[in-house]
Amino acid sequence: MPQPKSVEMTAAEIDTLLDTGGVGVISFADGDEPYSVPISYGYDSDSRAVYVRFGFAPESDKRRFVDDGATASLVVTDDDTRGWRSVVARGQLTEVSEPTLDGSIVQSIRKMNIPFVTIYDRPAAELEFELYRLDPDTLTGRKEQ
């Protein structure tokens, strides 16, 4: 039996996968120290921007990696009866303040699939939440064929 092969996804296929919103893994680097964390995201296919919300505890290691202008890489995967698919979005993060939220951003945020399980060891009321926009310099996808 032949092994499945990997092929590039079209821009429309990438948009379709990301447009569902969901969970991915976002990664950063500080020198030679990597940092990755699972995260919920929303996607605006018109601007091809990804929106992520970070929760910061007072002593959070994440704060060292996440700030306005940081470079990040988000990986989103899916595996169903058609096979696996993955998208990688790489680019800069920009903090989004509440006054700049327009209708398309709000729609993207509503697609965030925030699970009921939390990775924090404290109540959400003790966390500081911030919304960021990832503007991909590169947005690539591969799928099983």
Side-chain angles (χ1 to χ4, degrees):
M1 179 189 289
Q3 292 292 322
K5 63 181 181 176
S6 166
V7 297
E8 287 186 35
M9 292 171 65
T10 66
E13 289 172 321
I14 290 170
D15 287 345
T16 298
L17 176 59
L18 292 179
D19 202 35
T20 60
V23 177
V25 175
I26 196 162
S27 300
F28 305 90
D30 183 9
D32 63 351
E33 184 179 355
Y35 183 83
S36 298
V37 62
I39 192 141
S40 297
Y41 74 91
Y43 181 66
D44 178 6
S45 57
D46 291 334
S47 66
R48 299 197 94 195
V50 180
Y51 292 90
V52 294
R53 187 179 77 159
F54 293 101
F56 298 98
E59 68 285 345
S60 174
D61 284 339
K62 194 181 323 158
R63 179 60 77 192
R64 193 163 48 107
F65 295 90
V66 178
D67 59 22
D68 198 41
T71 300
S73 187
L74 175 72
V75 177
V76 175
T77 61
D78 185 42
D79 191 3
D80 61 22
T81 57
R82 297 169 291 175
W84 60 264
R85 300 176 293 163
S86 67
V87 170
V88 178
R90 291 185 183 101
Q92 280 196 322
L93 289 176
T94 305
E95 188 172 1
V96 177
S97 62
E98 284 189 39
T100 63
L101 294 177
D102 66 21
S104 65
I105 295 173
V106 171
Q107 290 290 31
S108 298
I109 294 167
R110 284 190 181 140
K111 293 178 187 173
M112 288 181 157
N113 177 22
I114 300 174
F116 291 107
V117 177
T118 181
I119 62 170
Y120 304 105
D121 60 354
R122 60 185 67 230
E126 294 179 21
L127 301 173
E128 178 184 349
F129 289 94
E130 295 175 5
L131 181 66
Y132 284 81
R133 175 182 168 131
L134 172 62
D135 288 302
D137 295 324
T138 60
L139 190 55
T140 58
R142 301 213 50 93
K143 65 181 181 177
E144 181 178 343
Q145 185 176 39

